[in-house]
Amino acid sequence: QVQLVESGGGLVQAGGSLRLSCAASRRTFSARGWFRQAPGKGRELVAGITWNSGNTYYADSVKGRFTISRDNAKNTVYLQMNSLKPEDTAVYYCAADAIGYRANVEVREGAYNTWGRGTQVTVSS
């Protein structure tokens, strides 16, 4: 089973930027998503990208600020986060879709069957 490892989290002031990385232990053909979970809240999909077509999805709350990208040669997906806000504070998880070659990003959490351990992002005001 493929393993996902996130990195790049940390503490940043409001308005700052962070870049998260999600490295897979081997090649996958699945869409990859970045979810986040704030204290006391459920997990939400903030961005996703398909493997083959590169189609993307962004939650309304991050559109225009976050950019997801992929490097298939490195089996790695990135999340560039700009103009960070305190409400972006959460644990960010990378996940892989259970079905390969999906044409569009699946927004249902249940569609993802492989998860990383998460990386903490804290935005101070």
Side-chain angles (χ1 to χ4, degrees):
Q1 176 135 359
V2 65
Q3 293 181 329
L4 303 176
V5 179
E6 304 99 335
S7 61
L11 173 64
V12 65
Q13 289 187 332
S17 299
L18 284 173
R19 187 194 195 205
L20 305 183
S21 298
C22 171
S25 57
R26 61 171 176 79
R27 174 166 290 186
T28 71
F29 302 98
S30 302
R32 208 82 66 83
W34 282 101
F35 289 76
R36 68 184 180 188
Q37 186 168 22
K41 295 187 177 181
R43 197 151 49 182
E44 63 168 341
L45 177 67
V46 295
I49 188 167
T50 59
W51 180 85
N52 48 335
S53 61
N55 288 340
T56 57
Y57 165 88
Y58 295 98
D60 288 343
S61 58
V62 306
K63 281 181 181 177
R65 300 188 299 121
F66 290 10
T67 303
I68 190 169
S69 61
R70 74 197 195 286
D71 184 335
N72 288 346
K74 296 183 178 180
N75 301 325
T76 300
V77 170
Y78 305 96
L79 185 67
Q80 179 66 43
M81 305 186 296
N82 299 328
S83 302
L84 283 162
K85 305 175 181 179
E87 51 263 44
D88 294 318
T89 295
V91 178
Y92 284 70
Y93 297 91
C94 178
D97 194 327
I99 297 176
Y101 298 107
R102 205 187 288 272
N104 296 297
V105 175
E106 178 58 60
V107 299
R108 294 178 300 112
E109 182 179 342
Y112 296 79
N113 68 341
T114 303
W115 294 81
R117 293 187 175 184
T119 185
Q120 176 70 46
V121 171
T122 303
V123 184
S124 63
S125 57

